[in-house]
Amino acid sequence: MNQEEKYIKIIEKAFSKDFPTRNNVNEVGIGDDSAIYEIDKTITKQVVCTDAIVEGTHFDLKYFSLEDVGWKSIVVNQSDLASMGSNPNYYNVSCGIPSNFKTKDFKLLTKGMKLACDQYGGVVIGGDIVKSDKIFISVTAIGSLENSGGEPDNNFAMLRTNSMPGDYIGVTGSLGNSLAGRMLLNEGKRENYFSEIHKRPSPRVKDGLNLVRSGVKACIDVSDGLHSDLEKLCKASNVTAHVNVDQIPIDDRLRVTFPDSFIDMAISGGEDFELLFTLKSINQLPEDYKRQVTVIGKMVKPNNADLIIYKNTDSEILNPTVTQWKHF
Amino acid sequence: MNQEEKYIKIIEKAFSKDFPTRNNVNEVGIGDDSAIYEIDKTITKQVVCTDAIVEGTHFDLKYFSLEDVGWKSIVVNQSDLASMGSNPNYYNVSCGIPSNFKTKDFKLLTKGMKLACDQYGGVVIGGDIVKSDKIFISVTAIGSLENSGGEPDNNFAMLRTNSMPGDYIGVTGSLGNSLAGRMLLNEGKRENYFSEIHKRPSPRVKDGLNLVRSGVKACIDVSDGLHSDLEKLCKASNVTAHVNVDQIPIDDRLRVTFPDSFIDMAISGGEDFELLFTLKSINQLPEDYKRQVTVIGKMVKPNNADLIIYKNTDSEILNPTVTQWKHF
């Protein structure tokens, strides 16, 4: 058995209980040229996304274990599906790995992927393993949309293009923690609350379903930072955002640890993987879910000068320092 | 507009006529977190595969133009779908590209992808662009199975596991040309019949459909070489192959150019992307299609000693020199 075959066996073993391997009459998993899956008859639309992570660009093995890397490769895609309001079903994983990689390394990578699948849904059904100087993992995730009311044509999704003037802007969780984690890791502070968040981000799959079920029509995940992703939402929907900076959800620990910069960090920091969405009224959301999201502003008719206007509660216009979160 | 956004626009522009971009009610293409596509009601099973190509491993920019690289990234996946008997529908493309990449470089890459899509089917609906020292392109292709007879549950595919003792072994086209092309390129001989085949391989999408419609149950594409891929077919189906070396289809130009090694080249050479399949009888195939495939042997009950036995027409056992085609 060559090294590639060994690696395929490791993935096959990890996921074979969740999906038939080859030789099933109806479905075919890892081990053939392609995988085959059945489509539930109630589903008429599928959702597909791809996110790649590269050593040196998206993670540094000084701070990330291979299990962290495997985890991250899956959750960045779960987050993209979550932002559409979609349930993750299947993953195809393409791994570029160096010649000196060892079997135990590949097991750790697979373990991280499996943990993310178990926690947030979906199963690896195929992929490719190729030689590469630096590690890259490109995952394509396939999800399905929920049916809003029994009619097969009625599957619905949240899109970037659907924000309207008058909509409230909401966000799940709190912002800036992942950036804090990365900054502390870069300073050599390894074991702390923030660095754990940076290394093992949580995709908001359940939030995405809660939102789409409540009739939310527009959403994006915060992968490049609030400022950057809100700009994308505004551009795609042709609206301007008014954000009340005092309402941005910020973890108390972030305020304490970074007393001079927590607001800028919450506005610029990427990879929080929270969901940023707009809705007609907070009362669209179920009573017990309302507490888990924060309204941070409102969309208005497009203003040619600005995509986003930041104010405080006293309506003073602010100019927070925005730093581009760079993957590229 | 940053570089990543420029690249996304280039892909969006190339494929927007073939698939709606964002803001369509039912389908969403490039420009959101995920793409959404509708599923035809007659399709109950989908086929998905991933193949990645990496600079230095799968192509060398000394010989390959970026248009060749774009072409290859798509056709290797079309070939995997073809081997299942599946029609290609959608691609998600993950590109790792260096910082010094230029807009015109990305246009060439996209042009190659678009040409392959136009020629063999399917459309790019999404992907990811990340920074990487060396170019990699990982493509996930989604295809659909044809329906054998009107019943939605009746979609069928060719699998590696379905070969049976008594089956004839068939192959499309001819073998060894791509290896010849690579060898000549490595010797600095750029413009020749074989190197064109190596740089612009043709996936056998139509053959895959012809075969599956004729009731062929087992197939693999020749990406690692006849020997290596036939071994995989034998292992997966638990059979032994008897191959008549004199019947292996070899291009006359290969015999002339490599008079001492054409047989070994046809047995070892990878990336021919022909289809290798087994069937009960050649008469399963339509009369006008029979001429386009060659029967090279027969499957027998498994023999513990060998997966493949090579003989000539005089039934002498041969030991061809097999060289492993190495992607990894």
Side-chain angles (χ1 to χ4, degrees), chain B residues 190-219:
Chain B
R190 291 193 178 211
E191 307 281 317
N192 62 74
Y193 172 74
F194 299 109
S195 65
E196 283 312 299
I197 290 175
H198 181 66
K199 289 192 291 183
R200 292 280 175 119
S202 306
R204 302 303 180 197
V205 174
K206 276 192 186 165
D207 292 82
L209 294 174
N210 276 332
L211 294 171
V212 80
R213 284 171 190 157
S214 308
V216 171
K217 301 284 183 215
C219 186

Side-chain angles (χ1 to χ4, degrees), chain A residues 35 39 44 46 50 52 92 128, chain B residues 39 44 46 48 50 52 92 128 160:
Chain A
I39 299 162
T44 58
Q46 283 196 309
T50 295
N92 256 36
D128 192 20
Chain B
I39 299 162
T44 59
Q46 283 196 309
V48 58
T50 296
N92 257 35
D128 192 18
R160 292 187 187 180

